[in-house]
Amino acid sequence: FSPENTDLLTTLGLLYLQLGDYQKAFEHLGNALTYDPGNYKATLAAGSMMQTHGDFDVALSKYRVVASTVPESPPLWNNIGMCFFGKKKYVAAISCLKRANYLSPFDWKILYNLGLVHLTMQQYASAFHFLSAAINFQPKMGELYMLLAVALTNLEDIENAKRSYEQAVALDKCNPLVNLNYAVLLYNQGDKKGALCQYQEMEKKVNAVKDSSTLDFDPEKMVEVAQKMGAALQVGENLIWTKPSKESKSKQRAAPSGKSSSTQQPLGSNQALGQAMSSAAGYGKTMQLPPGAGASAPLAKPPSLPLEPEPGSEMSPEETLVEEQRKEKHKSRQAAD
């Protein structure tokens, strides 16, 4: 009845985003922006959709438009911060997220993101502070307890880290990263039996995820750590999955040699980055390269040196002699080998 109502088009686009139907969402949000180019809600949602697919520069250009209309929007500054996080500009990310936190101190997603970025920067005390605050507002989210346990492990509070992992395992029934990280902690503490139990739980969850074909974690990094863990526990030959061919776009730094290799592993995962985004949009299951990113630019000019003698040009007698001597040396070396 009202095909040109921008509020209806925007709301419908947001609902399609939450259902994961990106095509229809983009259609409706695009229509809303056609009728009202200044509609900041539709612009923010469109930018968020680009952000979930890894196109951070285009998303930032959208957010720049929104910032001129609603400069005090917490979701806007949160999303800008996570764009910088995706581009590995962590100081800028923290600056934007702290502005979002100042504007909306009780938003648990912003606190979660601040904890995530501080963990990535290996600032474990600050990460603990923000993750604890997020847990106060969202006490039923297992992943928060897992990240808190990572911070506690690096702060060398092993007992509380174990308690936090126990809570995460109890609350989160589908994320294999929780069990994998817990298994690594137990293995490093000498509890091989407990580690094996968590490792088997992780395998069950991976099986379930494979069957439902919804990957909510970063398989590239997880498989790498799981294979090392399987070998350490001598169950490596039972692995039911292999490393995927495409590398994840958001790999993070390796842990320091003194720490467990997987304690920092989930920090840059698609799932962590995706779930962290506090926007009207849902988050994408996979990160895609922006169109044209893989295309190589044509050479501006040919190589300065010819790769082989040009037709018509012959080598001088001295060059021929040197070439023959080189071939003889090569043959005698091969014979010696």
Side-chain angles (χ1 to χ4, degrees):
F1 295 116
S2 302
E4 296 182 14
N5 186 318
T6 52
D7 286 337
L8 287 176
L9 286 167
T10 304
T11 308
L12 198 53
L14 296 178
L15 288 169
Y16 277 123
L17 267 182
Q18 290 186 334
L19 291 171
D21 190 339
Y22 292 106
Q23 188 59 44
K24 285 188 176 176
F26 208 77
E27 220 173 273
H28 287 86
L29 292 171
N31 286 340
L33 288 169
T34 304
Y35 294 121
D36 179 12
N39 188 323
Y40 74 88
K41 281 187 182 176
T43 311
L44 185 61
S48 153
M49 191 158 33
M50 290 156 188
Q51 182 176 348
T52 53
H53 287 87
D55 211 344
F56 301 117
D57 290 319
V58 180
L60 282 169
S61 69
K62 292 281 183 196
Y63 296 148
R64 197 173 286 118
V65 176
V66 179
S68 61
T69 313
V70 279
E72 304 299 306
S73 162
L76 169 69
W77 287 105
N78 176 72
N79 282 18
I80 292 172
M82 293 317 284
C83 272
F84 283 126
F85 178 69
K87 287 164 69 71
K88 294 186 168 61
K89 294 182 177 178
Y90 301 124
V91 176
I94 286 176
S95 177
C96 294
L97 287 169
K98 286 201 170 171
R99 181 163 183 175
N101 181 238
Y102 172 77
L103 294 168
S104 178
F106 302 127
D107 188 330
W108 70 269
K109 289 184 182 178
I110 297 170
L111 293 164
Y112 170 106
N113 290 344
L114 276 164
L116 194 66
V117 181
H118 280 295
L119 266 183
T120 309
M121 293 183 74
Q122 301 179 3
Q123 296 171 347
Y124 302 113
S126 297
F128 174 82
H129 167 77
F130 288 113
L131 291 167
S132 301
I135 284 171
N136 285 330
F137 295 115
Q138 191 76 8
K140 298 294 181 189
M141 187 177 176
E143 192 183 322
L144 278 170
Y145 288 96
M146 177 186 76
L147 293 176
L148 187 70
V150 171
L152 286 165
T153 304
N154 284 283
L155 291 169
E156 297 178 7
D157 186 351
I158 303 301
E159 284 309 308
N160 281 322
K162 283 182 181 174
R163 287 195 191 106
S164 194
Y165 273 127
E166 287 293 345
Q167 192 72 19
V169 168
L171 289 170
D172 198 318
K173 301 297 180 190
C174 56
N175 189 347
L177 287 170
V178 175
N179 303 90
L180 178 59
N181 282 345
Y182 193 15
V184 172
L185 175 69
L186 292 172
Y187 181 81
N188 287 341
Q189 295 303 309
D191 183 358
K192 285 192 180 180
K193 191 176 177 184
L196 182 61
C197 177
Q198 290 302 323
Y199 188 86
Q200 288 166 342
E201 277 295 313
M202 179 203 66
E203 284 194 322
K204 285 179 194 170
K205 287 182 180 178
V206 170
N207 265 332
V209 169
K210 279 185 80 177
D211 294 341
S212 65
S213 75
T214 53
L215 290 173
D216 274 359
F217 54 86
D218 180 359
E220 170 76 17
K221 202 73 172 136
M222 187 186 132
V223 171
E224 191 182 311
V225 177
Q227 284 173 339
K228 288 179 188 171
M229 194 68 206
L233 293 168
Q234 297 176 340
V235 292
E237 68 276 3
N238 297 329
L239 281 179
I240 36 132
W241 22 273
T242 55
K243 189 178 282 192
S245 57
K246 280 191 179 178
E247 288 195 356
S248 161
K249 280 185 72 179
S250 50
K251 275 193 197 173
Q252 295 301 318
R253 296 189 291 262
S257 54
K259 309 273 166 114
S260 125
S261 62
S262 85
T263 49
Q264 290 189 10
Q265 176 269 327
L267 301 187
S269 69
N270 295 351
Q271 160 260 359
L273 180 61
Q275 281 191 350
M277 292 179 185
S278 171
S279 65
Y283 66 95
K285 305 297 182 201
T286 54
M287 301 281 268
Q288 298 172 357
L289 284 169
S296 58
L299 283 171
K301 59 177 184 176
S304 55
L305 293 172
L307 302 179
E308 57 187 10
E310 292 172 9
S313 68
E314 294 180 2
M315 284 194 277
S316 66
E318 291 84 7
E319 287 173 326
T320 311
L321 184 62
V322 170
E323 184 66 14
E324 283 175 1
Q325 285 175 346
R326 192 181 65 76
K327 284 181 181 173
E328 285 300 322
K329 278 184 186 174
H330 185 63
K331 280 180 187 173
S332 61
R333 196 178 298 122
Q334 276 186 331
D337 288 345

